[in-house]
Amino acid sequence: MIDYLKDILQYDPQSPMLFNSGLFWVLFCLFLPLYAVLRRRKVMMMVYVVAFSLFFYYKSSGLFFLLLIVRAVIDYYLSKLIVASDRRIVRRTILSLSLLTSLGTLAYFKYSNFFIVNLNTLLTTNFQLVDVILPVGISFYTFQSISYMVDVYRGKADCAETLLDYLFFLSFFPALVAGPIVRASSFMPQIRSNYKITDTVVFGGLWLIMVGLLKKAVVADYIAQYTNIIYSNPQGYSGLEYAMGLVGYSVQIYCDFSGYSDMAIGLARILGFDLGVNFKSPYKAQNITDFWRRWHISLSSWLKDYVYIPLGGNRLGKFRTSLNLFLTMLVAGLWHGAGWNFIVWGGFHGLGLIVHRNLKQFFSRIPDNKIVKILCVGVTFAFVSLLWAFFRAPDLGAAVTMLDKIFSEFTPSMFVPFVQARGLWLSVMSGALLLFFIPERWYGWLYQTYLKSHLIVKLCLFVVLVQLILELSGANVTPFIYFQF
């Protein structure tokens, strides 16, 4: 019994706590009753949630939960100093200090070795790599920290009432390790509100959790069983197999990340908090600009407000607008990972945004009918899917090799043996793709039907979901893709 409790309480780097792990759901079910009792006793509720959030982060990333606490303390007291001062130079100095500590910490953990490797290559030096482990979710809560400090400086957000309020905001476990990136101006007023949690709210949250589990534990994890093989060997497969892996990864990453977001938003909703919307059918986008309005909305809006607009946005002429778009997407690429493949991925997305923006007048002359819309969706999906090769491949060379094989060694006649060998995989992927493009009103109908259904029906749907997870998932719990960012 003691050994079992140790396994529950101690951090295991080989088995971090995830939303799709059984242990998390057992602990969450134990967490809920006391939360319901404490919910209207705001201080006690916040202490309870913060304690659970820090334990969750400890189980996900070990002692790095202490780094999160330090970040919260620094932000809170520096934001108080910003509010207390009426001298602009003092306020800007304090903000700069906050940004320096936030970005400096992120740069050390995430980009130290990338910088050293490139420095060694450029100057033929032999500096040793840093023995550093990337804390889970550091990119997400660092961006939340930056947005809070900048908004307090701009007067767009109130300073947190207490350190506990701010620690609650920064450590809130549903959004802690992989977003959505929450803004203090929208979240912190919810902490002390008395929002009524109804049955509709709770079952709406459960619906999102079930949809998220279906996307992640059934679709994404099953498709990953093939895409992981393909991307692990950029030299050993045919062009058609790489093309299938490319499309498969497009499905996988969407189901993986939007599945996490659905679960995070659903968990928060059950607790009485609204985290907004993070994905809005991105593969229905008819152009690359529309794609970024639908994909990872909390990140794209963050980049717009804290990178693109401060650079000048679209206020300084066509050239500067294009340059600002390009630089913003380079930041997006570098945020995702310390590698040239991520920078190239972001750069090509930036070029795509520039081309679309500068050819808007030409595109406006094209007839707006269903055939054109379908073609635009197809072209956008193909462009995004090709660029996922840079995102997923282990390095830039591997991505280029795979794309070269797709375009130079694509053999359609191999499709029949591929179907024979990977029939179930292809069926799951094709089914997911079809679901991506069904009308939004169908989702709304399914959601309302679920809410109105009898409790027995809801239970049966949950049992079916669990059975699907057991049938199609692998032996081990698969981490979410965005945990690495």
Side-chain angles (χ1 to χ4, degrees), residues 11 61 126 141 168 227 265 282 291 313 407 411 416 434 484:
Y11 166 62
S61 203
N126 191 32
Y141 73 72
F168 186 100
T227 58
I265 295 167
F291 174 81
F407 287 105
T411 309
V416 173
L434 287 173
Q484 64 187 297

Side-chain angles (χ1 to χ4, degrees), residues 142-181:
T142 296
F143 270 26
Q144 286 191 194
S145 162
I146 291 171
S147 68
Y148 167 76
M149 295 299 298
V150 172
D151 285 353
V152 169
Y153 172 82
R154 292 173 175 172
K156 293 184 177 180
D158 294 329
C159 185
E161 291 186 29
T162 66
L163 176 58
L164 182 61
D165 285 74
Y166 186 70
L167 188 56
F168 186 100
F169 159 71
L170 202 63
S171 68
F172 188 55
F173 70 90
L176 177 56
V177 295
I181 300 170

Side-chain angles (χ1 to χ4, degrees), residues 69-111:
I69 296 174
V70 171
R71 178 76 266 149
V73 172
I74 292 173
D75 286 347
Y76 174 71
Y77 285 107
L78 288 182
S79 67
K80 285 289 188 183
L81 291 175
I82 288 176
V83 172
S85 175
D86 56 2
R87 296 182 61 190
R88 186 179 181 186
I89 188 170
V90 174
R91 289 161 55 84
R92 295 190 72 170
T93 300
I94 296 169
L95 176 63
S96 299
L97 178 61
S98 172
L99 297 181
L100 183 64
T101 56
S102 289
L103 294 174
T105 304
L106 180 63
Y108 171 75
F109 283 103
K110 195 165 185 176
Y111 305 108

Side-chain angles (χ1 to χ4, degrees), residues 276-292:
V277 177
N278 208 28
F279 288 86
K280 195 174 182 181
S281 302
Y283 291 145
K284 290 182 181 178
Q286 297 181 40
N287 54 67
I288 193 62
T289 302
D290 189 28
F291 174 81
W292 278 103

Side-chain angles (χ1 to χ4, degrees), residues 48 53 95-96 104 108 135 157 168 226 236 263 279 281 288 295 298 357 360 409 423:
Y48 181 56
S53 297
L95 176 63
S96 299
Y108 171 75
F168 186 100
Y226 174 73
M263 283 185 267
F279 288 86
S281 302
I288 193 62
W295 177 274
S298 64
R357 183 177 183 85
K360 272 187 177 180
E409 299 180 17

Side-chain angles (χ1 to χ4, degrees), residues 199-235:
D199 289 346
T200 300
V201 171
V202 172
F203 283 117
L206 287 173
W207 167 262
L208 286 173
I209 291 169
M210 289 174 62
V211 170
L213 283 170
L214 178 66
K215 288 179 179 178
K216 164 59 180 172
V218 176
V219 179
D221 287 357
Y222 183 73
I223 290 177
Q225 294 177 31
Y226 174 73
T227 58
N228 288 344
I229 295 172
I230 288 294
Y231 278 95
S232 65
N233 187 0
Q235 300 281 352

